[in-house]
């Protein structure tokens, strides 16, 4: 454990998309060295077992409408612990700089002159899509992808990030080949309506990925025109991603080839 003023240090760490084995070696080293671990809701708690038995573990997760700590409180705790000479890990699901507010935390630390580092993690879009057999880019099918938040869709509740700009659905409907939407399940009907209104074809393939990369993962495919019905039928719930684009069809192609291979072996 570290002691003494001026010795504090903060690691803003990406925990990956859910599977604890997808965390990086560098992130594990930071967790093992931590005096204080502030962890989010989507962090696999198995990762906490890698910390020192004496390390303080502080839950600061944010479920819709239920925040254990405000963002200001989280940043204050990081700063105060560092000023006490402690080594702090701010453990965040996915990647800290992809819808993780890691940039805000880094700015808060820099403003106080507190040394810090950012340790990347596998963001959910990449991890969950890969675990579902969906390449976000695929030769001849998809040469670009975009990650957006569904929480900025018209009709969504405004949370702590109420100052964030609205998603430009009119551009996204045609500007990229694969569209990945975080935090969009509760706004699925509105997202679908926005994309259709701006000319996205109703036949566009869509995948819903629930609890990606974990043992609880479920993946369902549909079309943009029918996806809201599928979501209701299977009762899709958070954490979940929405993947939209022709690359979704690769999942079906892989499944077909795997079935053919299995039948030949049988």
């Amino acid at each position: 454990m570290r002691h003494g003023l001026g010795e504090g240090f903060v690691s803003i760490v990406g925990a990956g998309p859910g599977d604890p084995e997808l965390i990086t070696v560098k992130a594990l080293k930071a967790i093992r060295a931590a005096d204080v671990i502030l962890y989010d809701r989507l962090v696999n708690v198995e990762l906490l077992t890698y910390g020192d038995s004496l390390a303080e573990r502080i839950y600061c997760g944010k479920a819709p409408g239920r925040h254990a700590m405000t963002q200001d409180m989280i940043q204050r705790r990081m700063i105060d612990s560092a000023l006490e000479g402690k080594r702090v890990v701010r453990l965040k699901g996915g990647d800290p700089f992809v819808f993780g507010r890691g940039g805000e935390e880094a700015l808060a630390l820099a403003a106080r002159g507190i040394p810090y580092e950012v340790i990347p993690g596998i963001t959910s879009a990449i991890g969950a899509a890969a675990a579902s057999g969906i390449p976000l880019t695929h030769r001849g099918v998809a040469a670009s992808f975009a990650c957006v938040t569904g929480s900025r869709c018209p009709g969504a509740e405004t949370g702590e990030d109420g100052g964030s700009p609205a998603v430009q659905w009119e551009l996204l409907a045609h500007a990229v080949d694969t569209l990945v939407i975080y935090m969009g399940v509760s706004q699925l009907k509105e997202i679908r309506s926005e994309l259709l209104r701006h000319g996205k074809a109703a036949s566009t393939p869509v995948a819903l990925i629930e609890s990606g990369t974990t043992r609880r993962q479920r993946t369902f495919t549909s079309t943009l025109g029918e996806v809201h019905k599928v979501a209701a039928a299977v009762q899709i719930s958070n954490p979940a991603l929405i993947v939209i684009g022709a690359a979704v069809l690769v999942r079906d192609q892989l499944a077909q080839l795997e079935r053919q291979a299995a039948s030949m072996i049988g």
Side-chain angles (χ1 to χ4, degrees):
M1 296 293 171
R2 296 165 66 86
H3 303 282
L5 294 178
E7 296 180 352
F9 186 84
V10 177
S11 298
I12 302 173
V13 178
D19 181 348
E21 294 186 359
L22 291 178
I23 197 164
T24 65
V25 173
K26 187 169 185 176
L28 278 181
K29 288 181 179 179
I31 292 170
R32 289 173 176 143
D35 301 305
V36 180
I37 304 172
L38 295 100
Y39 65 99
D40 279 350
R41 179 173 64 97
L42 298 181
V43 168
N44 192 310
V45 294
E46 183 179 327
L47 295 175
L48 301 179
T49 64
Y50 291 99
D52 189 283
S53 61
L54 298 179
E56 185 177 7
R57 294 158 172 81
I58 303 169
Y59 176 70
C60 48
K62 299 173 183 175
R66 301 190 312 276
H67 292 185
M69 300 172 68
T70 65
Q71 188 64 30
D72 285 344
M73 291 169 63
I74 294 169
Q75 290 170 189
R76 170 52 56 190
R77 187 58 185 264
M78 292 167 57
I79 291 169
D80 288 348
S81 295
L83 290 176
E84 290 170 2
K86 295 178 179 178
R87 195 168 189 96
V88 181
V89 162
R90 175 70 175 101
L91 193 58
K92 310 169 81 68
D95 181 272
F97 276 13
V98 180
F99 303 121
R101 306 190 75 167
E104 296 174 44
E105 294 169 356
L107 287 168
L109 294 167
R112 294 297 300 269
I114 294 171
Y116 71 92
E117 65 179 347
V118 178
I119 301 178
I122 298 174
T123 187
S124 298
I126 293 171
S132 297
I134 301 171
L136 298 184
T137 62
H138 189 68
R139 188 165 61 91
V141 175
S144 61
F145 71 92
C147 300
V148 300
T149 172
S151 65
R152 303 270 31 101
C153 185
E157 293 184 7
T158 300
E160 283 189 285
D161 63 343
S164 299
V167 174
Q168 295 180 299
W169 298 108
E170 68 279 11
L171 298 179
L172 291 170
H174 304 288
V176 294
D177 298 313
T178 308
L179 185 59
V180 184
I181 303 171
Y182 291 67
M183 300 169 283
V185 169
S186 63
Q187 301 299 319
L188 183 55
K189 287 185 178 180
E190 290 79 4
I191 292 168
R192 168 185 170 275
S193 296
E194 284 291 306
L195 291 172
L196 290 174
R197 184 166 69 89
H198 292 295
K200 195 76 170 175
S203 59
T204 303
V206 179
L208 302 172
I209 308 171
E210 179 183 281
S211 299
T213 77
T214 73
R215 290 188 296 270
R216 301 181 306 279
Q217 177 174 311
R218 298 195 299 163
T219 304
F220 304 93
T221 57
S222 181
T223 63
L224 187 59
E226 300 292 325
V227 67
H228 60 300
K229 296 178 183 178
V230 173
V234 300
Q235 298 183 322
I236 202 82
S237 62
N238 284 314
L241 284 176
I242 306 166
V243 183
I244 303 172
V248 169
L249 296 177
V250 175
R251 171 183 167 82
D252 296 331
Q253 295 168 3
L254 287 170
Q256 181 179 356
L257 291 170
E258 289 165 3
R259 287 192 297 268
Q260 291 173 355
S263 65
M264 292 175 63
I265 294 173

